[in-house]
Amino acid sequence: MVKTIKKITSNNFLDILKNQGADPFFKAMFSSTAPPFYHDVLKFVRDMNIAGMSPNTILAYSYDIRHFLKYFTDHHPALDSWSQFTPEVLKEFFANGFNNLSNSSKSRKRASINRLFTYIVKDLNILTENPLDKQSAIRTKKANNRETNLPVHLTVDESLRLIDVIVNRGLDENNRWKAWMKTRDIAMFSILLSTGLRVTEFCEMKMNDARAILSEKQYKLVGKGNKERVIPFNKSALGRMEQYLKVRPRPEGEHDYVWLSRTHQPLQRHDVYQILKTYQELADINKKLSPHKLRHSFATHLLQNETDLRTIQVLLGHANIATTQIYTHVEDARKITAVEKLPEY
């Protein structure tokens, strides 16, 4: 069952919801959860599904909460009620259960745990207060280095270098990397860098979406949190997509996804990540990259071109402009560095 869970992605989770219902996934995901917590957690994730949260969000919360509860199953098997999750017990988890995770991953997991406890308080009425609300619950320590929390992104030069290595890459001898895949990869990274699409939004694009994009020069989609937004496609992105659609294989089957893997299956997030890692090495870009970092790059490049924050917020689909303001720190750090390099007059 665990092997099946590891293969579940936002794309095939949609198929599971449509064809099998959510319960098989939820029960498999939390099959090892201790009985005192099992049914409450099931209610929590089911209600997220009923509320219309995106599959990707439900998956992220599910994995985070499973990790959280597994820690206590392994280290505190006698724990048998929500009331025993005191600030002191949570301190231990935050100190020892987050090993080898980045600050952004820690923050996301903390947000998932916080949402679970909020549900237990407000929806299930099991607790009267959220233990994470108490000041004694530990928070992520922030490093003194002022650039620690800046989003990793590609410079314009690195972005162009990434595209260039794809354009100039030759086909391999065993022909596993075919000509149509080269056209796909050029289009994929050109579009991600010039639109700021989330990788899940990109992978879920259907052929009807692609035809509408070519016709209207923009992508109308319902993104994270069921929010509608319109993403303009510039001339380059439109041209790259049009070139890909001309050579895109037309596999037999029911799916109608635009972006296909080598085996003609819908491209998944982890596929995009692996492809990016290949080109990152070829382009000699020594940064901790992921497809989401291309979204950071898009926002940063807009800011460097003096685009106002409100426009960037709308393009990214951020609910709160405070989320968008993190990109201003990139420019702040650049200014500070520039001043620090001045001679000592």
Side-chain angles (χ1 to χ4, degrees), residues 92-258:
E92 179 195 328
F93 171 72
F94 293 146
N96 303 317
F98 281 170
N99 293 335
N100 302 318
L101 293 179
S102 66
N103 277 352
S104 60
S105 295
K106 292 176 185 178
S107 296
R108 192 200 73 193
K109 288 183 181 294
R110 182 172 285 101
S112 300
I113 297 164
N114 183 61
R115 190 179 184 110
L116 171 65
F117 278 113
T118 299
Y119 178 83
I120 289 166
V121 172
K122 294 185 177 181
D123 293 79
L124 300 185
N125 298 313
I126 293 174
L127 298 177
T128 57
E129 58 182 343
N130 183 341
L132 283 175
D133 288 342
K134 297 184 177 181
Q135 290 183 354
S136 53
I138 199 166
R139 299 183 182 275
T140 303
K141 294 180 180 179
K142 293 190 177 181
N144 291 327
N145 185 339
R146 70 181 82 202
E147 295 192 18
T148 298
N149 294 321
L150 300 181
V152 174
H153 66 282
L154 293 176
T155 65
V156 172
D157 178 68
E158 289 168 335
S159 301
L160 293 172
R161 205 159 77 229
L162 183 73
I163 300 299
D164 283 344
V165 297
I166 311 175
V167 172
N168 296 320
R169 183 184 178 190
L171 300 181
D172 57 9
E173 292 180 0
N174 60 19
N175 205 27
R176 286 173 59 85
W177 193 66
K178 302 179 184 296
W180 74 265
M181 295 168 63
K182 176 175 181 174
T183 307
R184 176 204 65 189
D185 295 348
I186 295 170
M188 174 165 62
F189 293 117
S190 295
I191 289 170
L192 288 172
L193 282 165
S194 62
T195 63
L197 283 171
R198 296 179 176 93
V199 66
T200 302
E201 295 169 342
F202 176 84
C203 290
E204 291 177 354
M205 190 185 296
K206 300 291 186 68
M207 289 301 294
N208 283 340
D209 298 323
R211 287 188 280 267
I213 289 168
L214 293 178
S215 172
E216 301 172 15
K217 298 180 174 55
Q218 58 186 13
Y219 186 15
K220 297 177 181 177
L221 76 159
V222 178
K224 190 175 180 180
N226 287 326
K227 293 184 176 65
E228 292 184 358
R229 78 183 198 278
V230 177
I231 307 298
F233 270 56
N234 62 24
K235 186 176 180 179
S236 175
L238 288 169
R240 300 295 198 191
M241 174 177 277
E242 193 167 21
Q243 290 166 4
Y244 166 68
L245 292 176
K246 288 178 181 177
V247 300
R248 173 187 176 273
R250 286 160 175 74
E252 296 181 3
E254 296 181 359
H255 74 76
D256 194 31
Y257 291 97
V258 173

Side-chain angles (χ1 to χ4, degrees), residues 9 25 49 60 66 173 198 209 240 307:
T9 65
F25 165 75
N49 181 47
R66 187 177 68 161
E173 292 180 0
R198 296 179 176 93
D209 298 323
R240 300 295 198 191
T307 307

Side-chain angles (χ1 to χ4, degrees), residues 68 72 85-95 117 131-132:
F68 172 67
F72 290 102
F85 286 97
T86 63
E88 290 70 31
V89 169
L90 293 173
K91 277 185 185 181
E92 179 195 328
F93 171 72
F94 293 146
F117 278 113
L132 283 175

